[in-house]
């Protein structure tokens, strides 16, 4: 009976989803979604909305390199008082959506509505879910909302099923997280050194640079190897989510066969030989060792040539490299001011030895990206873990 209702009401139907993405990455994420053939509806506060069956949600999670997560939108409902929120939430078929064994975390956001007390609204919502599950002979447990907006991966995994309830102008929109841990968590970066880039941001920068195999990709300050690994995954047509699990896999509607089919199709498309030359450089041997380990886990290590040396000593002509893309993420952070002299040396070296190459250089401030006649063709401001980053895109 339950199985038949899941089939007819959840699997057979189309639903609305949202690829959540920071504002400045909406364009690049939308292009990814177009290439995946997702049925895009519109851009929203959260990112990019799309429609489809569950299979579309599986593909989005598996393939989107720049999205933070994928939400499933339940149909919106009008709610005035707390009693109305309780009554309408009780009528939703929760047992078709969620496995009662997975603890639920409810995050409530209220604005310009008759319901003005977040805690009361959350209690009414949770009581309604509990009542609904009790009605079908199941119990459900809840976990407290995380104190910060950006919980660590482990916290997110422990948090179970996240539900976002947003009530604006007495209109309630319920979103179920389908991803689990943030999508930047690919599963390959178990170790890191220094301040690693988010995988989603590194992928977005590579996509925005226009780099395409077989052009060489050179990460001149590879740290934990995020940029070179993301470029290799992209060039090798390897899905970023291939090595991790998602929350939708714990839903009662999960279709193992469909999922296995998507994985098989993805695996058949993976490049068997290196699609380009990938070069990773760092002056710190510890960083090179960690980056190499991460690349092994990502399945791209044999494609990468590793060099322990200062980037300023590397001449691509010595390696017989034709022009490609250089990626530079020099060290700086909250407690570590950027080294102006280093930026000047890097730009000078690029100008002298990298004729015909494109480059991306990251800096905390725009003026660091200009030295003498070397200046970027385009500059983008991005956010990264609370810090503001400026990315300069160059043609040499
Ligand atoms: C901010 S980290 C790079 C982080 C990397 N993008 C990641 O996601 O893990 C900066 C790295 O630059 C390296 N480095 C600093 N100066 C260098 C130089 N002159 N040549 C090569 N590597 C350098 C440091 O050892 C450090 O690993």
């Amino acid at each position: 009976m339950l199985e038949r209702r899941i089939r007819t009401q959840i699997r057979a139907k189309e639903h609305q989803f949202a690829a959540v993405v920071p504002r400045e990455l909406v364009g690049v994420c939308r292009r990814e979604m177009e290439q995946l053939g997702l049925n895009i509806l519109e851009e929203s506060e959260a990112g990019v909305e799309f429609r489809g069956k569950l299979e579309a949600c599986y593909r989005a999670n598996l393939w989107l390199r720049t999205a933070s997560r994928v939400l499933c939108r339940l149909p919106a409902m009008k709610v005035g008082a707390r009693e109305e929120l309780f009554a309408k939430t009780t009528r939703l078929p929760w047992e078709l959506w969620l496995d009662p064994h997975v603890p639920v975390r409810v995050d409530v956001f209220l604005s310009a509505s008759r319901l003005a007390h977040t805690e009361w609204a959350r209690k009414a919502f949770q009581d309604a879910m509990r009542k609904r599950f009790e009605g079908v002979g199941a119990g459900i447990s809840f976990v407290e909302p995380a104190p910060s907006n950006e919980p660590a991966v482990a916290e997110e995994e422990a948090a179970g099923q996240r539900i976002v309830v947003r009530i604006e102008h007495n209109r309630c929109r319920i979103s179920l997280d389908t991803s689990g841990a943030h999508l930047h968590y690919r599963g390959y970066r178990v170790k890191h050194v220094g301040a690693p880039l988010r995988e989603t941001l590194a992928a977005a920068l590579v996509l925005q640079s226009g780099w395409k195999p077989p052009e060489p990709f050179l990460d001149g300050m590879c740290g934990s190897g995020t940029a070179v690994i993301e470029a290799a995954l992209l060039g090798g047509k390897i899905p970023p989510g291939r090595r991790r699990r998602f929350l939708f896999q714990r839903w009662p509607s999960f279709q193992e066969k469909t999922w296995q089919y998507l994985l098989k199709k993805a695996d058949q498309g993976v490049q068997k030989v290196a699609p380009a030359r990938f070069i990773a450089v760092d002056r710190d041997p510890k960083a090179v060792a960690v980056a190499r380990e991460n690349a092994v886990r990502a399945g791209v290590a044999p494609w990468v040539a590793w060099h322990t040396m200062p980037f300023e000593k590397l001449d691509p002509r010595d390696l017989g490299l034709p022009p490609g893309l250089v990626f530079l993420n020099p060290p700086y952070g909250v407690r570590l001011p950027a080294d102006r002299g280093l930026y000047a040396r890097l730009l000078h070296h690029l100008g002298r030895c990298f004729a015909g190459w494109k480059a991306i250089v990251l800096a905390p401030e725009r003026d660091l990206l200009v030295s003498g006649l070397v200046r970027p063709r385009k500059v983008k401001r991005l956010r990264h873990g609370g810090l503001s980053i400026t990315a300069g895109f160059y043609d040499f």
Side-chain angles (χ1 to χ4, degrees), residues 75 88 114 123 135 167 190 194 244 275 300 322 342 359 361 374-375:
K88 289 189 171 169
R114 280 184 61 204
K123 184 159 183 332
I167 304 178
V190 179
R244 57 165 277 166
V300 298
L342 173 64
V361 182
V374 179
R375 51 185 57 239

Side-chain angles (χ1 to χ4, degrees), residues 296-332:
V296 168
R297 267 188 296 274
V300 298
W303 294 352
V304 185
W306 308 93
H307 298 269
T308 307
M309 62 195 291
F311 169 70
E312 304 89 303
K313 292 262 156 65
L314 185 136
D315 188 327
R317 294 162 294 195
D318 295 343
L319 300 175
L321 291 170
L325 181 84
V326 190
F327 187 94
L328 293 178
N329 176 198
Y332 68 84

Side-chain angles (χ1 to χ4, degrees), residues 195-197 220-224 226 282-284 309-312 329-331:
L197 273 183
M221 299 178 143
C222 73
S224 324
T226 320
D282 202 291
R283 67 172 181 198
D284 178 358
M309 62 195 291
F311 169 70
E312 304 89 303
N329 176 198

Side-chain angles (χ1 to χ4, degrees), residues 139-349:
I140 182 138
S141 62
F142 294 94
V143 286
E144 284 302 302
S148 106
N149 277 343
E150 289 219 30
V153 166
E155 268 180 78
E156 280 188 83
E157 281 178 338
Q161 173 66 56
R162 184 173 181 228
I163 300 179
V164 180
V165 179
R166 203 172 279 281
I167 304 178
E168 282 172 25
H169 300 284
N170 302 314
R171 189 168 174 271
C172 175
R173 164 144 260 195
I174 300 168
S175 307
L176 312 179
D177 181 22
T178 76
S179 304
H182 190 292
L183 290 180
H184 83 77
Y185 177 75
R186 321 285 207 208
Y188 66 73
R189 199 171 69 191
V190 179
K191 283 194 187 161
H192 68 81
V193 283
L197 273 183
R198 270 207 168 163
E199 295 82 342
T200 40
L201 180 60
L205 288 166
V206 176
L207 282 165
Q208 285 171 336
S209 75
W211 169 81
K212 293 244 156 37
E215 292 163 11
F217 184 95
L218 195 162
D219 188 348
M221 299 178 143
C222 73
S224 324
T226 320
V228 73
I229 294 172
E230 288 298 319
L233 293 176
L234 177 68
K237 300 191 166 67
I238 302 173
R242 183 66 180 89
R243 278 160 201 267
R244 57 165 277 166
R245 288 184 62 76
F246 301 94
L247 211 38
F248 64 74
Q249 291 176 268
R250 302 179 75 179
W251 286 6
S253 58
F254 178 56
Q255 294 158 288
E256 182 70 39
K257 256 195 185 162
T258 309
W259 180 238
Q260 289 306 328
Y261 173 74
L262 291 179
L263 294 184
K264 192 170 142 204
K265 235 175 70 178
D267 289 346
Q268 285 167 351
V270 169
Q271 303 286 296
K272 303 288 177 281
V273 291
R277 286 178 69 181
F278 298 95
I279 302 96
V281 181
D282 202 291
R283 67 172 181 198
D284 178 358
K286 259 193 278 159
V288 174
V290 164
R292 196 197 285 257
E293 259 187 71
N294 290 336
V296 168
R297 267 188 296 274
V300 298
W303 294 352
V304 185
W306 308 93
H307 298 269
T308 307
M309 62 195 291
F311 169 70
E312 304 89 303
K313 292 262 156 65
L314 185 136
D315 188 327
R317 294 162 294 195
D318 295 343
L319 300 175
L321 291 170
L325 181 84
V326 190
F327 187 94
L328 293 178
N329 176 198
Y332 68 84
V334 186
R335 270 172 249 104
L336 180 67
D339 177 346
R340 288 190 175 267
L342 173 64
Y343 274 91
R345 286 199 304 280
L346 295 174
L347 295 179
H348 175 73
H349 182 57

